[in-house]
Amino acid sequence: MPVDRSKFDTDSVKSEKFNTLIKKPKKKVEINGENEFGNDAFGPTGLDSYSDAKEIPGSKTKAKRKQGRPKVITDDRYKVSLPKKISPALENKLHALTDYMPEFQEASGRISFDKIVDTLAESYIKNRLGVSREEFLREEIDKGFENLK
């Protein structure tokens, strides 16, 4: 038996003002070492609780650490210049897909988003397009690549 919903009274909803129980702090208090987590309950005792990038108390030098592998890109057209704007769901799907791609079976280390998309595009061109369309697309890609200079 269907219910007639045209007679429901939706205009009688009253908005009530409420008082907050917890007031926002007026001033942010910064505690030295509040994000430093170590094994010692009484504070850091040595270099192990400080990251290499921070300055070590009592020393005049600042320790440096490497920020990943150095990338050597000879041609600026291959340099990644735009951030990827994809959903986390798609990123998860691509990450799971790399396990099933034979091109990445023996790869060790990080596989970049650019490399995954390039591999997928090449696979599509080789397997799904006919010979004449593949040749035409390769010429079109080469023309576009030359126009990037």
Side-chain angles (χ1 to χ4, degrees):
M1 177 179 200
V3 178
D4 184 20
R5 296 183 184 262
S6 63
K7 295 181 183 175
F8 284 118
D9 185 18
T10 59
D11 296 330
S12 65
V13 177
K14 296 178 184 176
S15 63
E16 298 179 9
K17 189 174 183 180
F18 62 93
N19 295 329
T20 58
L21 295 175
I22 300 174
K23 306 285 185 197
K24 290 186 178 179
K26 294 178 183 176
K27 184 178 174 184
K28 168 89 170 115
V29 178
E30 302 224 2
I31 300 171
N32 189 17
E34 68 180 332
N35 292 326
E36 295 292 328
F37 304 101
N39 293 337
D40 189 9
F42 301 109
T45 58
L47 299 177
D48 57 331
S49 62
Y50 287 93
S51 72
D52 294 338
K54 292 185 178 180
E55 190 170 326
I56 302 167
S59 85
K60 302 286 181 182
T61 62
K62 188 173 184 179
K64 293 182 181 179
R65 80 180 167 123
K66 293 181 181 179
Q67 298 290 325
R69 285 180 257 139
K71 304 253 183 204
V72 178
I73 299 174
T74 57
D75 194 349
D76 286 339
R77 294 175 288 188
Y78 288 111
K79 193 175 203 178
V80 177
S81 60
L82 299 174
K84 62 180 179 180
K85 291 186 177 182
I86 61 171
S87 67
L90 179 61
E91 188 167 13
N92 185 30
K93 188 185 289 185
L94 287 174
H95 179 69
L97 184 63
T98 57
D99 295 338
Y100 297 98
M101 297 174 74
E103 295 87 358
F104 299 129
Q105 293 297 324
E106 295 179 11
S108 62
R110 184 177 163 272
I111 301 169
S112 68
F113 175 77
D114 188 47
K115 182 139 178 108
I116 294 170
V117 173
D118 184 49
T119 305
L120 288 173
E122 286 297 321
S123 175
Y124 182 83
I125 290 170
K126 288 178 186 175
N127 297 328
R128 295 290 183 134
L129 297 180
V131 177
S132 61
R133 284 189 176 180
E134 181 180 350
E135 290 174 358
F136 178 75
L137 182 60
R138 297 272 183 210
E139 290 173 7
E140 196 173 320
I141 291 171
D142 289 340
K143 286 179 187 176
F145 187 73
E146 292 299 321
N147 291 338
L148 289 176
K149 286 185 181 181

